[in-house]
Amino acid sequence: MKRKILFILALYTVNIFVFAQYSSGALFPVGTTGVSVKLETTPSLVTLTLAGPSNSYLGLGAGDAGMATGADGFIYNSASTTDYTFNGVGNTPSADAIQDWTIISNTVSGSTRTIVATRSLTGSAGDTTIPNAAGNLDVFVARGNETMNLSYHGAANRDYATLPMSLDPTLATGEVKADPTIYMMYPNPATETVHFKNIDLIKSIDVYETTGRKVKALKWKEGYIDVNDLKPGNYYLEITLKDGTLTYEKLIKQ
């Protein structure tokens, strides 16, 4: 009698995790500077919105010590650089060797310019790590005295603020079943490879540590990605679909 071998295909039910994202809320006007600021974070990125007079440079610094030596800052000005390190009060800040900020929007309405820029949560050496978590972030802002060139801003054009970061209710942590018409990811935990159903719908996959540091961009072939070179631990996969949808998957590497 011929032995029949029954192969059972295990169907993996995979959850797509929409991880917590935080925001400081609406644009926050800082003192009487005429500058407003907003911060938003995801597990991998921080988005800065800075609005102020269109005829002046606009700057944001991290911390409550002002332009102390070594403080990290973003400055939109007449130069092509935006990522800076301060050199002490009264001294011109220095452009960082690695420019981490990417301006994704620069609009002027009337006399107000609004800049939207993004970078990873950690940035590069010397940059301030911005956590994707609830809590208060101390910042300071400054604007040029009707000039786009880096120069003394004047006492009235600089002030401090504390931004209250809280869970964005429209982007709160949730868990939904993977729609098989979108994609499915398995196995998870994984040791060497992770397979995807409908991988042709995916534009790009980036891997981030839980700190927000980007590890690598993944390439795929024949429906799977190779994760063999990742160290054991927890990671986020930032998955961009070809229709522009951005989702996150938690990957456990064994």
Side-chain angles (χ1 to χ4, degrees), residues 14-15 17 19 175 185-196 207-210 218 225-228 230-237 248-254:
V14 181
N15 291 327
F17 294 91
F19 291 96
E175 185 177 286
M185 166 181 150
Y186 61 92
N188 192 8
T191 55
E192 296 183 355
T193 59
V194 176
H195 292 259
F196 286 83
V207 182
Y208 291 85
E209 294 177 342
T210 55
L218 291 176
I225 57 176
D226 187 347
V227 297
N228 189 52
L230 294 179
K231 296 179 181 179
N234 295 331
Y235 297 88
Y236 294 123
L237 299 186
Y248 295 93
E249 291 276 3
K250 183 178 181 180
L251 171 67
I252 302 174
K253 173 60 168 46
Q254 292 183 332

Side-chain angles (χ1 to χ4, degrees), residues 226-247:
D226 187 347
V227 297
N228 189 52
D229 61 341
L230 294 179
K231 296 179 181 179
N234 295 331
Y235 297 88
Y236 294 123
L237 299 186
E238 184 179 76
I239 301 173
T240 304
L241 303 183
K242 291 179 179 178
D243 66 0
T245 301
L246 183 66
T247 64

Side-chain angles (χ1 to χ4, degrees), residues 1-210:
M1 180 178 178
K2 183 182 293 185
R3 179 178 296 177
K4 294 183 179 179
I5 302 176
L6 177 63
F7 291 93
I8 300 176
L9 299 178
L11 299 178
Y12 294 88
T13 303
V14 181
N15 291 327
I16 298 177
F17 294 91
V18 183
F19 291 96
Q21 303 182 46
Y22 295 84
S23 172
S24 61
L27 275 169
F28 184 86
V30 182
T32 59
T33 61
V35 179
S36 298
V37 61
K38 176 181 179 179
L39 286 177
E40 299 169 285
T41 62
T42 72
S44 59
L45 296 174
V46 56
T47 299
L48 163 67
T49 303
L50 201 59
S54 60
N55 63 348
S56 303
Y57 67 75
L58 303 174
L60 174 81
D64 59 2
M67 300 173 189
T69 300
D72 181 32
F74 168 94
I75 308 175
Y76 175 79
N77 63 101
S78 58
S80 60
T81 49
T82 56
D83 205 346
Y84 285 84
T85 298
F86 292 100
N87 295 313
V89 176
N91 298 315
T92 302
S94 300
D96 290 356
I98 300 176
Q99 292 290 304
D100 293 286
W101 288 100
T102 299
I103 293 178
I104 60 175
S105 176
N106 181 359
T107 59
V108 175
S109 177
S111 60
T112 300
R113 182 186 304 276
T114 301
I115 300 291
V116 181
T118 64
R119 73 159 170 83
S120 68
L121 294 178
T122 54
S124 298
D127 289 339
T128 297
T129 296
I130 300 175
N132 182 44
N136 293 328
L137 291 179
D138 292 322
V139 299
F140 58 93
V141 303
R143 67 173 176 86
N145 190 12
E146 298 186 0
T147 178
M148 294 293 292
N149 299 321
L150 292 182
S151 56
Y152 178 56
H153 44 69
N157 297 330
R158 185 263 300 148
D159 210 336
Y160 299 83
T162 298
L163 302 179
M165 302 295 292
S166 60
L167 191 67
D168 190 324
T170 65
L171 300 171
T173 301
E175 185 177 286
V176 297
K177 294 292 183 181
D179 184 345
T181 64
I182 302 177
Y183 67 85
M184 294 178 66
M185 166 181 150
Y186 61 92
N188 192 8
T191 55
E192 296 183 355
T193 59
V194 176
H195 292 259
F196 286 83
K197 178 181 179 180
N198 292 335
I199 199 169
D200 58 306
L201 299 179
I202 297 174
K203 179 180 179 181
S204 63
I205 303 175
D206 294 324
V207 182
Y208 291 85
E209 294 177 342
T210 55

